Amino acid sequence: MGSLAMDPRVYGPQTNAVVLKYGDIVELTINNFSTLLHPFHRHGGTFQITEYGPAGSSTPAPESFQNITVQKSKGSPMRRDTISLTEFSYVKVVFKATAAVNFFHCHNSIHSAMGMDMVFIEGPDVLQKTLQIPNAMYEMCHKQGIPTIGNAAGNIGFDFTGLPNVPTIVKQTGDNQ
C-alpha cells in the first residue's frame, strides 16, 4: 500500500473499511431499533462498554421495552469482544486503535450479508513497518495466482480491475420462487 495505506479507498469498495490512526480512541454508538437481538463482535481486540440504554427513535418502542434506563459505566468499564444488543436499545463502546486489521460485525450471519459489518484498518502505516509475513504465506498466494502487492485487486492505486464481485444470495431456503 505504501503511502496510500491511510486512504480507505485503496482497500476496495467491498470492505466497508474505516482507516484509523494508531492510538486513536474510537467511540461507536450502535442502535437497535428492532425486536431482534444483535450480537456484535470485534475480532482481534476488545472494547469497553461505556453506556447503554433505550434507542432514540421517532417510533416508540413497544410498552414492554419502555422501562429501559440509561446506564453509564463508572470507574473501569468492562472489556468485551462481544455484546448482545437487546431490542430497542443502544450501546456505546470505546476502543483504542492498535496496528491491526479487525473485523466488527453482527453475529447473525444474514445481517452480516446485509452490511451489518465493517473492517477497522488500524494504524496501517505502523503495521506495514512492523508486520512480518511468513514466506509460506507468499508461496501459498503465488501458487494460487493471488497478487501479494498492490490494492485489494492486486493493482496499483485505485485501479480495481479484476476485483471479484461481492457475494450475493441467489436463493434462500424457504423462498417460494
Side-chain angles (χ1 to χ4, degrees), residues 77-160:
M78 63 180 125
R79 289 190 176 277
R80 298 284 184 264
D81 65 3
T82 305
I83 184 166
S84 291
L85 188 54
T86 58
E87 304 89 337
F88 299 99
S89 68
Y90 79 94
V91 65
K92 286 187 180 183
V93 298
V94 175
F95 66 90
K96 184 175 183 178
T98 61
V101 177
N102 292 316
F103 187 50
F104 185 73
H105 65 104
C106 179
H107 253 276
N108 295 335
S109 55
I110 190 69
H111 295 165
S112 191
M114 295 165 67
M116 287 182 82
D117 56 22
M118 57 196 322
V119 177
F120 291 109
I121 301 174
E122 304 175 24
D125 52 339
V126 173
L127 189 59
Q128 66 185 358
K129 293 175 189 173
T130 58
L131 180 66
Q132 296 295 318
I133 300 172
N135 284 333
M137 296 300 289
Y138 286 111
E139 291 170 19
M140 187 185 314
C141 289
H142 291 301
K143 285 179 183 176
Q144 297 178 61
I146 299 170
T148 57
I149 60 170
N151 62 21
N155 301 324
I156 304 301
F158 305 115
D159 173 12
F160 292 105

Side-chain angles (χ1 to χ4, degrees), residues 4-91:
L4 295 177
M6 296 299 292
D7 191 326
R9 296 176 297 167
V10 79
Y11 298 100
Q14 301 170 353
T15 61
N16 202 12
V18 175
V19 178
L20 303 169
K21 293 179 185 170
Y22 181 82
D24 275 355
I25 304 298
V26 179
E27 179 181 75
L28 300 175
T29 301
I30 308 161
N31 288 290
N32 181 2
F33 299 119
S34 75
T35 57
L36 300 174
L37 182 72
H38 293 287
F40 277 93
H41 176 63
R42 181 172 185 240
H43 289 260
T46 59
F47 49 77
Q48 291 179 294
I49 301 165
T50 59
E51 185 177 312
Y52 62 91
S57 172
S58 58
T59 304
E63 191 173 322
S64 59
F65 297 101
Q66 290 183 4
N67 291 327
I68 300 172
T69 59
V70 173
Q71 300 294 317
K72 295 187 179 196
S73 296
K74 298 176 180 124
S76 292
M78 63 180 125
R79 289 190 176 277
R80 298 284 184 264
D81 65 3
T82 305
I83 184 166
S84 291
L85 188 54
T86 58
E87 304 89 337
F88 299 99
S89 68
Y90 79 94
V91 65

